[in-house]
Amino acid sequence: MKLQLVIYFVFMLFAHASTFVGNGGSQGDIELAASKKQLVETFQAIIENKQSDYLCKCTEDYENRDVCLPLKKLNSDQQKYCQKQLTEKAPEMLKLLQSEDVKIQWTHEPIEVRTGNELRAVDAVTNPTQKQITLNLPRFLDMSTSDRVFLLSHEYFHLTKIEGKQVADDETVGPFQESDGGRQFLNAIGSSISVLEGYLPDVSSHRAMIARSRSWKRFWFDGNFGGSSAVTDPSSSFGQKDAHDAQLSFHFYLGDFALSARIKNEYNDKKILDNSVSISENVMLYGIGAGYRFFPFKDPLTFWGQSHILVQAFLDQIESHISVSDDFVSISDRTRTTGSSVYGTYYIPFFWGFWWHATVGYEYHPYKYSNVNLKYKDGRTVAGIGVSYAF
Amino acid sequence: MRFSYLFFILFAALISACTPEMKDGTSTDQNNIGEKLQDVSSLTTEDGQSQSQVAIYDQTVARIHQFDLHSLTLIRSLPVDNPSADHYVLYHQAGNYVVDLSMQNLTLYDYQGMAEHSLLNFAGKPKSAAFKPNLGLLVVYDDLNSVGILKINQFGRAEKSWVGGTLVTGTASIAAGDINEAGQLILAMSDNSITVVDLDQTMSSRKWIVTETFPTNLSKITWLAPVRGSTDLILVVSDQTLSLLSLSSQTIVSSFSLSSYKQLAYSKSIDPHIILKRNNEVVVAYVSGNSITTRSVYQHTGYVAKSRLDLIQDSWIMVGINNESWIWGKSDAEKYNRTVKSWRFSDLLAQYSFNLRDNSVLEIADKSLLSLFPSKLGYAVYYNMSSGTTQELKGFNIPYIP
C-alpha cells in the first residue's frame, strides 16, 4: 500500500509537469513565446511601413546565410508578389499571432507530409481547418532564432487566405507557378520575416529571452559561499560564533517539487589568549532533503517571472573536527552528530543555464567536543550567495 | 687623547650593553631563608622520598593544578586570589595541602580544598621559603627581607603565625637561613654570627625568641644549609670559603677554600652541596661525616640550573646549561640549552644523559623529572628514569579557559 502511494505520488508529480505547458514552465515554451513576439513586432513594423524597402530582400548582413536562399531565388515578379502579400496580409498575420484560436501542439515524434507520392520529413505541419500548428519539439529547440522565426512565419501564413483560399505547399500561387510554388512562396515570406526580424533592433532584442536560463530544467547543481553564526555563544572561547562555508548541492525537480542532496564544508580559524592559542575547526555536513518552489512573479517570459524561491528541509549528518594548539601542545577532537535544517533560496536567471542565487537558512545540530570542553547547544543562522547550473 | 677617551666611553657602553643577565647560578640562591620558590612543588619530600603528586601553578587560568604522577590525572584545581601576581607553590602529600604564595599574601588550601587567605601579611614579594611539613613549619622570606612564620597542622590548617622584620638580634640582619631537623630556624646574620631561633615561641610571643647566637670568624655569609640527618651541623658559604659549623661546639669543624673556583650552584636538594667549576673540572662539595668532601667530573658545563644529591640513594643529578657564552638579555636563561645528567655517586658512574626541551620550569626527583612549559593550554612532561618512559600532561588548562 505504501509503495502504491509512493508510485501514485511520483506519477502525480510527472502528470503535473506535463500539463504545465504554454506558460513558460515547459520545454519550448520560452522559445515559442520569444519567436511569436518577434513575429508580432516584425508584422507591426510592416504595418507601420517601417523598413518597407527591405521586404522580400536579402540584406548585407544575411547575404551569405542560408535563411536568404529562398529570397535569392526570387525573380522580379515573385519578389513584388511577396512584398505585396506581406504588406497586405500583415494585419491578418498579426491577428492570428495574437489570437488564442490558433493552437500550437508539441510532438516528440518525427513529422512527415505526403507530397505527391512521396513522404517528406518536416519540422512542423499546419492544419488550417483546425487552426492547429504541430511542431517537432526537439527540432524546434535545436534551431537558431532566425530559423524558428522562419518556420513559424511559414506555418502561420498557411492560415491566411489569398484570393479566397489558404496557401498550400504543393499548389501554385501568384507568380510561383511550379508544383511546389506555395512552399516557395511561404519560404520567401518566412525568409523575409526572418531577415527583417534580425534587422529591427527592438525585435531582435527578444533573442535575449531565448538565451536566458529557464526554470523548467530538471537537474540543478548549486555552488555557494556564505557564512553562519551561532544563535547563542559557544560554551567556551574555543568555539566559533561565526564561520565561513562552501556548499555544493544537487536538486532533481519533479514539477515544482525538488529532491535535494548537499555537501557543505564549514571552516574557521581564530586565535585567542593574546594570539598564543590557535583554533581551527572544520565541519563537514551531508544532507538529503526535499523542497518546493514557487514563483513570486507571474509572467514566465520575463526575467523576474523566471525567478523563483525554493524552500527546502534537510536531514543532515555532521562530522566535525577541531584542533587547538599553542607553541607547545596541540589537542584535537572530532565528533559526529545528526541534525536538520531549513533553507529558503531565491534563484534569478542568468544565461546559458546559469543562475544566481541567494540563500538563508537555519541549521540545528548541537554537538560538543569533550577534549576541548566546547559545546554548541543551539542552532546557527546561515546565509550565502552562489551560482547554479540547470540542465 | 680626545679620541682615546671617546673610544673608552664607547667601549664601556658596549660592555655594559652586553652585560649578561647571569654570570653564574648562585645569585638567586644567595641570601635566602630556605630555598628559592617555584611555581611547581617539589617531587620529593624533605627526607628525599618521591612524591606521587605534584602541585603546579598555571598563570593562564590562574589556578593551582594538583596532579597524580602515576596515573597522570588531574586530581583537583584550585582558583587563586590575586591572579595577576606571580604565584609560588608548596605541597605536602601526607597532609594533602597546598600553600600558595603571592605578592603580600599566603593562602593555605587544606585537604578538602578549603582556602584560608591572608594568613601571612608581608609587604613584599615572597622569594624563598623553608618548608618542613613533617614538623608543620613554614618560614617565608620576601624581597623586602620580612620573615613570615606559620605553624600548619596535619590537616593543612594554620594554627599560628607571625611576621617579623629582619633585625632579629637587635643589631644584625638576616643574611641567610633555614630550618633544621629539630625545627629551629638557623640564621646567618649580617655581623657573621649564627643565630638559632625557637620558631614555636617566636610565634607565641610574636617577637623573635633567640635561643643562642655565636660569632663565626667568617665574613660575608651568603648561604646556609642544615646537614641532612643532623641537628648540629650546618654548611655555610662565606667569602671564598665553604665551612661546616657545629652548633653545639660553635666551631668550624671543616672548611674548603673556594678561591680558585667559579661557583656554579648552591643546592639544598636532599643533601646540601655546592657545585664549583675550574676549567673543565666540575666539583661537587658536600658533607661526609664531619668534614667537607669534594668529587670531580670533567664536563663541559657553562652553568648549572639544578643539582640534586642524595647520598643515601647514591645519586647525583645535575641539570647543566651547555651555553657558556653570555646570554643576551634573557631573564629566564636557565630554561634553555639544558642537559640533565645523572651519576651513581659512589663511583661517579654515569646513569643517563639527555637534552631537555627549552623553556620549561624543572623539578627533579631521584628517578623522575617534571618539566612544566609555559603553554596556555597546559603542558608538562614527566620523565620516569626508572622505566625510561616519558609521559605528557596535555591541555590541563582547557576546562578552565572561559
Side-chain angles (χ1 to χ4, degrees):
Chain A
M1 183 63 185
K2 274 183 187 172
L3 181 64
Q4 285 176 324
L5 280 175
V6 170
I7 291 170
Y8 175 76
F9 178 70
V10 171
F11 174 80
M12 285 303 291
L13 292 177
F14 278 111
H16 180 79
S18 68
T19 58
F20 193 59
V21 173
N23 59 359
S26 297
Q27 267 186 308
D29 285 354
I30 302 295
E31 288 80 359
L32 177 63
S35 300
K36 284 176 71 175
K37 270 185 182 283
Q38 288 168 294
L39 282 174
V40 165
E41 291 180 20
T42 305
F43 280 107
Q44 279 175 337
I46 294 170
I47 292 167
E48 291 163 12
N49 204 25
K50 293 177 184 172
Q51 313 300 336
S52 56
D53 294 343
Y54 294 95
L55 291 181
C56 300
K57 292 178 184 172
C58 197
T59 62
E60 279 184 22
D61 293 342
Y62 284 78
E63 189 69 38
N64 297 318
R65 292 171 61 172
D66 289 346
V67 72
C68 264
L69 287 178
L71 294 177
K72 285 180 178 175
K73 291 179 182 173
L74 299 180
N75 59 34
S76 175
D77 290 343
Q78 289 171 331
Q79 189 179 58
K80 285 178 185 168
Y81 185 77
C82 172
Q83 289 168 342
K84 178 174 175 285
Q85 293 302 326
L86 259 183
T87 307
E88 286 180 6
K89 298 297 176 188
E92 188 180 350
M93 279 293 283
L94 192 59
K95 197 174 174 184
L96 285 167
L97 285 163
Q98 292 172 332
S99 166
E100 293 187 358
D101 293 342
V102 179
K103 298 284 185 285
I104 292 183
Q105 180 176 302
W106 296 114
T107 180
H108 285 81
E109 302 300 321
I111 303 172
E112 292 179 328
V113 294
R114 182 169 294 279
T115 305
N117 294 324
E118 294 179 358
L119 283 175
R120 179 190 178 94
V122 295
D123 297 326
V125 64
T126 301
N127 184 333
T129 312
Q130 296 179 359
K131 286 193 176 177
Q132 180 174 293
I133 298 171
T134 303
L135 295 168
N136 181 290
L137 179 60
R139 290 282 302 152
F140 191 76
L141 293 177
D142 282 346
M143 289 176 182
S144 67
T145 306
S146 56
D147 285 349
R148 288 189 196 118
V149 169
F150 172 92
L151 180 66
L152 283 179
S153 302
H154 181 119
E155 300 304 328
Y156 265 93
F157 228 90
H158 274 303
L159 302 177
T160 63
K161 286 184 178 175
I162 296 176
E163 296 169 2
K165 68 173 192 177
Q166 286 161 323
V167 181
D169 285 334
D170 53 357
E171 292 177 1
T172 61
V173 57
F176 296 85
Q177 289 302 309
E178 295 178 41
S179 59
D180 61 346
R183 179 177 293 111
Q184 288 177 28
F185 167 68
L186 293 177
N187 285 349
I189 295 291
S191 290
S192 182
I193 297 300
S194 192
V195 169
L196 273 179
E197 171 273 324
Y199 192 77
L200 296 168
D202 291 343
V203 180
S204 60
S205 68
H206 293 298
R207 293 183 180 203
M209 190 194 304
I210 304 301
R212 185 181 303 138
S213 303
R214 270 144 279 172
S215 59
W216 53 263
K217 303 283 187 179
R218 283 198 167 171
F219 301 98
W220 290 65
F221 282 102
D222 291 357
N224 72 39
F225 292 96
S228 67
S229 182
V231 174
T232 55
D233 288 338
S235 64
S236 80
S237 53
F238 297 123
Q240 316 272 14
K241 182 165 174 64
D242 301 311
H244 309 293
D245 63 55
Q247 177 173 283
L248 287 173
S249 53
F250 169 75
H251 317 293
F252 174 66
Y253 275 98
L254 299 166
D256 288 330
F257 288 94
L259 299 174
S260 304
R262 66 173 179 146
I263 180 169
K264 179 176 158 181
N265 178 233
E266 201 172 273
Y267 53 94
N268 212 340
D269 299 322
K270 72 171 184 178
K271 290 178 183 285
I272 61 170
L273 299 176
D274 300 327
N275 292 327
S276 60
V277 174
S278 300
I279 301 159
S280 174
E281 187 178 10
N282 197 314
V283 181
M284 288 302 298
L285 183 151
Y286 308 94
I288 54 170
Y292 181 80
R293 69 176 174 184
F294 57 92
F295 295 78
F297 303 99
K298 296 300 176 192
D299 186 357
L301 304 182
T302 63
F303 174 87
W304 292 111
Q306 281 294 302
S307 70
H308 57 276
I309 296 169
L310 173 63
V311 179
Q312 293 167 287
F314 284 95
L315 287 175
D316 300 319
Q317 164 131 335
I318 291 91
E319 294 176 7
S320 59
H321 174 265
I322 192 169
S323 174
V324 179
S325 61
D326 61 16
D327 290 341
F328 301 92
V329 62
S330 178
I331 294 168
S332 61
D333 198 359
R334 60 178 65 244
T335 188
R336 179 180 288 187
T337 188
T338 53
S340 57
S341 50
V342 290
Y343 274 87
T345 307
Y346 186 51
Y347 293 85
I348 54 177
F350 190 53
F351 295 108
W352 314 296
F354 288 95
W355 295 71
W356 304 112
H357 69 254
T359 187
V360 293
Y362 179 80
E363 295 177 348
Y364 183 76
H365 34 73
Y367 58 94
K368 68 175 182 178
Y369 298 106
S370 302
N371 289 354
V372 294
N373 190 41
L374 172 61
K375 185 176 183 182
Y376 293 98
K377 60 180 180 180
D378 288 317
R380 302 181 78 87
T381 54
V382 292
I385 56 171
V387 177
S388 306
Y389 180 69
F391 59 98
Chain B
M1 186 64 181
R2 199 176 287 171
F3 179 76
S4 299
Y5 277 129
L6 184 62
F7 179 79
F8 177 78
I9 290 167
L10 285 173
F11 182 75
L14 184 64
I15 289 293
S16 67
C18 299
T19 300
E21 289 282 330
M22 174 181 66
K23 286 178 181 169
D24 58 49
T26 58
S27 59
T28 56
D29 289 323
Q30 293 173 333
N31 304 116
N32 284 339
I33 294 176
E35 292 183 84
K36 195 169 54 177
L37 287 164
Q38 285 200 125
D39 45 10
V40 181
S41 70
S42 175
L43 296 182
T44 52
T45 61
E46 56 199 289
D47 55 0
Q49 301 300 308
S50 290
Q51 299 205 109
S52 63
Q53 295 187 12
V54 67
I56 293 171
Y57 173 71
D58 197 299
Q59 64 177 5
T60 301
V61 291
R63 297 181 81 93
I64 296 168
H65 301 309
Q66 187 178 323
F67 293 101
D68 184 297
L69 294 171
H70 289 158
S71 61
L72 280 182
T73 51
L74 180 66
I75 306 239
R76 62 178 173 172
S77 181
L78 307 163
V80 299
D81 270 3
N82 197 10
S84 59
D86 291 334
H87 285 254
Y88 307 100
V89 178
L90 300 167
Y91 173 64
H92 179 46
Q93 186 165 329
N96 194 24
Y97 64 83
V98 174
V99 182
D100 168 36
L101 294 141
S102 62
M103 187 78 183
Q104 303 175 350
N105 190 29
L106 184 148
T107 300
L108 202 51
Y109 298 90
D110 70 8
Y111 69 104
Q112 294 177 314
M114 299 290 290
E116 284 185 273
H117 297 288
S118 304
L119 291 170
L120 290 177
N121 292 306
F122 37 84
K125 177 183 175 181
K127 66 171 199 167
S128 68
F131 186 39
K132 292 287 182 187
N134 288 346
L135 303 172
L137 291 171
L138 170 63
V139 175
V140 179
Y141 192 51
D142 77 3
D143 60 351
L144 300 177
N145 304 143
S146 303
V147 183
I149 309 168
L150 189 66
K151 178 75 175 173
I152 305 169
N153 70 16
Q154 60 180 325
F155 303 110
R157 297 194 180 113
E159 291 189 334
K160 51 185 172 181
S161 64
W162 181 68
V163 179
T166 187
L167 208 62
V168 176
T169 58
T171 55
S173 302
I174 297 169
D178 212 331
I179 303 173
N180 69 3
E181 293 188 3
Q184 299 165 310
L185 179 63
I186 315 298
L187 298 171
M189 306 303 292
S190 56
D191 60 1
N192 299 308
S193 65
I194 298 295
T195 293
V196 180
V197 172
D198 185 317
L199 289 171
D200 201 49
Q201 286 192 42
T202 296
M203 283 184 281
S204 300
S205 337
R206 307 192 69 75
K207 63 179 183 181
W208 288 112
I209 302 296
V210 174
T211 55
E212 64 176 305
T213 183
F214 60 92
T216 62
N217 291 329
L218 300 171
S219 64
K220 298 180 184 172
I221 298 175
T222 56
W223 186 79
L224 178 156
V227 173
R228 180 190 186 190
S230 168
T231 56
D232 182 42
L233 297 175
I234 55 171
L235 195 61
V236 173
V237 172
S238 61
D239 190 20
Q240 302 301 328
T241 308
L242 177 66
S243 306
L244 183 64
L245 273 74
S246 165
L247 294 177
S248 57
S249 66
Q250 301 185 353
T251 57
I252 297 171
V253 296
S254 179
S255 67
F256 179 78
S257 172
L258 304 175
S259 58
S260 60
Y261 296 95
K262 181 179 180 182
Q263 297 167 36
L264 295 186
Y266 308 145
S267 175
K268 297 179 182 179
S269 185
I270 316 305
D271 286 294
H273 59 286
I274 68 172
I275 306 295
L276 307 166
K277 182 183 176 186
R278 184 170 56 192
N279 299 322
N280 276 341
E281 180 189 10
V282 176
V283 178
V284 54
Y286 64 101
V287 177
S288 177
N290 285 329
S291 64
I292 294 172
T293 308
T294 63
R295 290 190 184 179
S296 298
V297 289
Y298 289 85
Q299 296 282 315
H300 175 75
T301 301
Y303 171 69
V304 172
K306 272 187 182 297
S307 179
R308 183 186 192 275
L309 177 64
D310 189 336
L311 295 172
I312 294 173
Q313 298 291 332
D314 194 19
S315 159
W316 177 35
I317 302 168
M318 186 176 73
V319 179
I321 293 179
N322 307 327
N323 191 354
E324 198 167 5
S325 59
W326 291 347
I327 300 168
W328 306 90
K330 275 195 179 299
S331 60
D332 54 355
E334 65 181 33
K335 296 178 180 175
Y336 295 87
N337 299 310
R338 296 168 299 183
T339 302
V340 59
K341 298 170 184 172
S342 172
W343 290 268
R344 184 171 68 195
F345 197 61
S346 55
D347 61 351
L348 289 179
L349 173 67
Q351 301 295 294
Y352 53 80
S353 171
F354 59 89
N355 295 326
L356 290 168
R357 260 179 79 180
D358 287 343
N359 200 11
S360 68
V361 174
L362 276 184
E363 188 56 36
I364 54 177
D366 179 31
K367 300 291 183 189
S368 60
L369 185 151
L370 185 74
S371 204
L372 173 66
F373 295 87
S375 161
K376 299 278 187 184
L377 299 173
Y379 182 57
V381 178
Y382 181 65
Y383 302 86
N384 188 327
M385 262 65 91
S386 301
S387 61
T389 57
T390 300
Q391 291 171 285
E392 292 180 311
L393 285 158
K394 289 165 55 170
F396 45 79
N397 285 338
I398 284 176
Y400 307 101
I401 294 175

